[in-house]
């Protein structure tokens, strides 16, 4: 099962609805529920047997033995999780859709592509955190869209109150600095993880000290994992510097994104820049890569520990820009409001 969850370029697992790490935890939650039902039914059976047996039979010893077996097995499961969970990735991205049509991607229509520097933030004052991402183009401006939901216990959220925050026309904003032209039309592929014991509450594009377009994340500490209370005043923004890497450039034989077979997995390392390319002629622009607009929302919904942007494709195919989310693990949250070393929300 562990091997089946590993997602690599050579093992393309596309059926997962969450990260491999979280899928690993979800399996053990199912096992734990089954173990608890077994314990309950066993105790019930011994109680009924004691009531109907003549003469009366005391099965207290058997009940305690059944309980000891339950504790030993659950402790073993906890050890298996702690020994193996760090070996699986917390990254979640969506593979290619079954059919490439205009509903699954967007592209820049104008001669000069634009990127919004307006950050997208969840409503932390009302206890809401980011649970999903979408990369899209609004009036020819590249921007993120976020899904938010109220945080509840154990870093899960109230999915019934989840909602996408609408991104408005970026050109209509009063501050002209919110829409910029990418420096040399380069974007940095980046995945960031927020500090320990915090959750993702904002994301946006920014320029780094070298005038390179990059991403930034907003984080908010969690005061109590049992109640889902956020430390709003301690929120902050973070970015990360990377050593210079060779910029990825498309070959002269590159094809437009929608006219070639695209690898459903990211093909660039974290921190590498991608040089966009215009395949259009004259005033008709055809910028590659296109922007994949599939919604990336791990199931079950939960708070996120990070996010980023990646590229799916290869040198001879324009490919697609796509968002990436990072789920939370027990290792990441064990010190936030927990009394026991290991906690499994079942």
């Amino acid at each position: 099962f562990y091997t089946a969850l590993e997602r690599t370029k050579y093992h393309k697992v596309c059926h997962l609805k969450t990260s491999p790490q979280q899928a690993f935890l979800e399996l053990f939650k199912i096992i734990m529920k089954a173990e608890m039902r077994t314990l309950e039914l066993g105790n019930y059976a011994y109680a009924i047997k004691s009531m109907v047996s003549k003469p009366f039979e005391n099965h207290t010893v058997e009940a305690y033995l059944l309980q000891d077996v339950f504790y030993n097995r659950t402790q073993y499961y906890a050890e298996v999780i702690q020994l193996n969970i760090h070996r699986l990735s917390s990254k979640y991205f969506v593979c290619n859709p079954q059919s490439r049509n205009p509903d699954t991607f967007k592209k820049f229509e104008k001669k000069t592509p634009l990127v919004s520097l307006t950050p997208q933030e969840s409503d932390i004052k009302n206890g809401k955190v980011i649970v999903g991402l979408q990369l899209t183009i609004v009036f020819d401006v590249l921007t993120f869209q976020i899904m938010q939901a109220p945080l509840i216990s154990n870093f899960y959220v109230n999915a019934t109150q989840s909602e996408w925050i609408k991104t408005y026309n970026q050109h209509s904003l009063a501050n002209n600095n919110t829409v910029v032209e990418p420096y040399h039309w380069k974007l940095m592929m980046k995945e960031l993880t927020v500090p320990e014991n915090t959750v993702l509450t904002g994301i946006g594009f920014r320029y780094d000290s070298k005038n390179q377009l990059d991403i930034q994340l907003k984080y908010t500490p969690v005061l109590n994992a049992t109640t889902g209370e956020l430390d709003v005043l301690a929120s902050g923004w973070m970015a990360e510097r990377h050593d210079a890497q060779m910029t990825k450039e498309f070959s002269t034989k590159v094809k437009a994104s929608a006219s070639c077979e695209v690898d459903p997995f990211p093909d660039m390392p974290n921190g590498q820049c991608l040089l966009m390319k215009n395949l259009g002629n004259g005033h008709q622009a055809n910028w590659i890569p296109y922007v994949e607009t599939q919604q990336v929302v791990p199931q079950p919904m939960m708070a996120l520990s990070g996010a980023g942007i990646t590229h799916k494709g290869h040198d001879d195919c324009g490919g697609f820009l796509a968002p990436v989310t990072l789920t939370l693990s027990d290792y990441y949250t064990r010190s936030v409001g927990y009394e026991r070393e290991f906690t499994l929300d079942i």
Side-chain angles (χ1 to χ4, degrees):
F1 179 75
Y2 168 82
T3 304
L5 290 177
E6 291 183 300
R7 305 178 78 180
T8 68
K9 184 177 180 180
Y10 306 101
H11 187 230
K12 300 172 182 178
V13 181
C14 288
H15 67 278
L16 297 180
K17 301 300 181 182
T18 187
S19 69
Q21 193 174 89
Q22 188 62 31
F24 188 67
L25 283 175
E26 294 299 323
L27 169 67
F28 278 93
K29 290 179 183 180
I30 295 174
I31 295 175
M32 286 293 295
K33 288 180 180 179
E35 292 286 356
M36 291 180 67
R37 299 296 184 270
T38 301
L39 177 63
E40 292 173 353
L41 290 174
N43 286 331
Y44 178 76
Y46 282 129
I48 295 297
K49 187 175 182 180
S50 297
M51 293 172 59
V52 301
S53 60
K54 294 181 180 180
F56 174 79
E57 296 180 6
N58 190 334
H59 295 284
T60 303
V61 175
E62 289 86 345
Y64 277 124
L65 288 175
L66 189 63
Q67 182 174 301
D68 288 341
V69 171
F70 171 78
Y71 287 147
N72 291 335
R73 290 172 70 89
T74 53
Q75 182 60 36
Y76 170 74
Y77 296 145
E79 292 174 357
V80 170
I81 294 174
Q82 290 182 347
L83 289 174
N84 292 281
I85 193 172
H86 66 281
R87 299 166 59 189
L88 288 167
S89 172
S90 63
K91 182 192 306 183
Y92 175 63
F93 56 88
V94 180
C95 292
N96 290 343
Q98 294 183 352
S99 61
R100 280 289 178 193
N101 57 67
D103 294 332
T104 63
F105 67 87
K106 291 185 178 181
K107 59 181 180 178
F108 294 104
E109 301 291 347
K110 297 182 179 179
K111 188 174 182 179
T112 302
L114 299 175
V115 176
S116 173
L117 295 185
T118 303
Q120 306 300 315
E121 304 175 54
S122 63
D123 184 7
I124 57 176
K125 291 183 179 179
N126 290 314
K128 296 182 179 181
V129 299
I130 295 178
V131 296
L133 289 178
Q134 182 185 37
L135 195 62
T136 187
I137 296 177
V138 180
F139 293 98
D140 225 46
V141 180
L142 181 66
T143 184
F144 284 102
Q145 282 195 153
I146 63 172
M147 173 181 272
Q148 66 175 9
L151 186 66
I152 55 177
S153 62
N154 298 303
F155 291 86
Y156 285 92
V157 298
N158 187 344
T160 61
Q161 297 184 27
S162 62
E163 59 180 342
W164 286 97
I165 297 181
K166 185 177 180 180
T167 304
Y168 296 95
N169 183 357
Q170 303 294 311
H171 291 287
S172 65
L173 298 176
N175 185 357
N176 293 330
N177 293 326
T178 56
V179 178
V180 298
E181 177 183 335
Y183 181 65
H184 290 320
W185 296 284
K186 288 198 300 185
L187 288 173
M188 182 174 288
M189 302 298 103
K190 175 71 71 68
E191 298 160 14
L192 288 177
T193 301
V194 296
E196 187 176 1
N197 303 333
T198 68
V199 292
L200 179 67
T201 54
I203 187 171
F205 291 102
R206 62 180 285 273
Y207 276 117
D208 63 16
S209 59
K210 297 182 179 180
N211 206 27
Q212 172 59 57
L213 197 62
D214 198 357
I215 67 168
Q216 60 179 342
L217 301 183
K218 182 180 180 180
Y219 59 88
T220 302
V222 178
L223 288 176
N224 192 309
T226 303
T227 63
E229 181 183 0
L230 297 174
D231 189 355
V232 176
L233 297 179
S235 298
W237 285 90
M238 62 167 289
E240 185 178 76
R241 294 186 60 184
H242 279 268
D243 295 333
Q245 297 190 41
M246 184 178 297
T247 299
K248 176 182 175 66
E249 298 185 26
F250 294 109
S251 69
T252 56
K253 299 180 180 179
V254 65
K255 297 180 181 179
S257 304
S259 60
C260 54
E261 184 177 351
V262 179
D263 193 317
F265 273 60
D267 66 335
M268 295 178 60
N270 194 27
Q272 185 177 16
C273 289
L274 175 66
L275 182 64
M276 301 173 68
K277 187 172 185 176
N278 188 1
L279 301 181
N281 297 318
H283 297 288
Q284 185 66 33
N286 186 17
W287 286 94
I288 57 172
Y290 293 169
V291 176
E292 188 174 89
T293 57
Q294 292 190 105
Q295 298 174 351
V296 181
V297 184
Q299 298 293 335
M301 286 187 189
M302 63 186 304
L304 302 176
S305 68
I309 183 174
T310 189
H311 175 263
K312 297 191 296 187
H314 50 81
D315 292 344
D316 296 327
C317 181
F320 296 85
L321 296 176
V324 174
T325 59
L326 301 176
T327 59
L328 293 166
S329 71
D330 181 75
Y331 273 122
Y332 188 85
T333 60
R334 66 166 55 182
S335 61
V336 188
Y338 288 132
E339 295 180 356
R340 292 177 293 174
E341 184 182 31
F342 184 82
T343 301
L344 200 61
D345 175 32
I346 55 175

